[in-house]
Amino acid sequence: MATISLQEVEVVQTLHGGPPVVVNFPEAAAQTFKRGELVNLVNGKVTEAAAADIYLGMALKDAAGVVDTNTQVVLATADVVFKANLTTSQVTAQADLGKSYGFAKVADKFHLSNTIVGANARALVIDHDSLDVIGDIQGRLYFIILSRFLQFRY
């Protein structure tokens, strides 16, 4: 099997077929998040999220590092489908489908981890990337963020 290069999180589609919602918020002070990183709001400003946070969404560009700079974010809602690699050295399996995994952050990139489960799981796996083969190392999975971990739930 192949080893898939670790890439940033991507938005794949929405379950309703329309475009995802893009929102603009001011950046908090001293931010270093990268495009494709999961972010959240703290005191109304975009900040880099930790792997075990709740999520506003995905940054569409790198942080400017300047407080109050306008930052575009794809709003994470229950119908936004994302794609991410399994983290370092983990292998995709048919059994991934329907499982809830947590996030691991490696070199400023969020990845799914099939060893972070239970109360620490944040994402529901709904499919494998059709460009990969089941059994690939660091293969890519499609997922939605579980609603209880969305900063803007409805």
Side-chain angles (χ1 to χ4, degrees):
M1 299 298 157
T3 298
I4 308 303
S5 63
L6 294 173
Q7 300 165 24
E8 65 190 30
V9 174
E10 295 178 47
V11 173
V12 177
Q13 66 187 51
T14 60
L15 296 176
H16 60 70
V21 175
V22 176
V23 292
N24 295 289
F25 290 103
E27 185 177 308
Q31 293 304 299
T32 59
F33 57 81
K34 301 293 183 195
R35 173 185 160 82
E37 255 189 272
L38 297 175
V39 294
N40 60 17
L41 283 181
V42 175
N43 296 322
K45 296 186 181 188
V46 176
T47 63
E48 183 174 345
D53 271 339
I54 60 169
Y55 308 105
L56 168 68
M58 185 193 79
L60 287 177
K61 62 181 181 177
D62 293 353
V66 178
V67 69
D68 292 331
T69 299
N70 192 37
T71 301
Q72 286 191 321
V73 175
V74 172
L75 189 64
T77 59
D79 65 345
V80 174
V81 179
F82 296 92
K83 176 172 67 172
N85 295 83
L86 278 175
T87 197
T88 308
S89 302
Q90 292 185 349
V91 178
T92 57
Q94 188 63 37
D96 293 324
L97 301 180
K99 295 274 181 81
S100 295
Y101 293 155
F103 292 109
K105 191 172 176 186
V106 178
D108 292 324
K109 293 182 178 148
F110 276 80
H111 309 294
L112 293 170
S113 176
N114 60 18
T115 61
I116 300 174
V117 295
N120 294 317
R122 300 286 195 265
L124 175 64
V125 176
I126 59 173
D127 205 356
H128 295 95
D129 188 331
S130 62
L131 299 176
D132 299 346
V133 174
I134 292 175
D136 279 347
I137 299 166
Q138 301 166 185
R140 294 170 294 225
L141 300 173
Y142 288 16
F143 67 93
I144 56 174
I145 296 175
L146 296 168
S147 61
R148 67 183 175 273
F149 301 110
L150 297 173
Q151 197 158 22
F152 287 6
R153 347 180 226 282
Y154 52 88

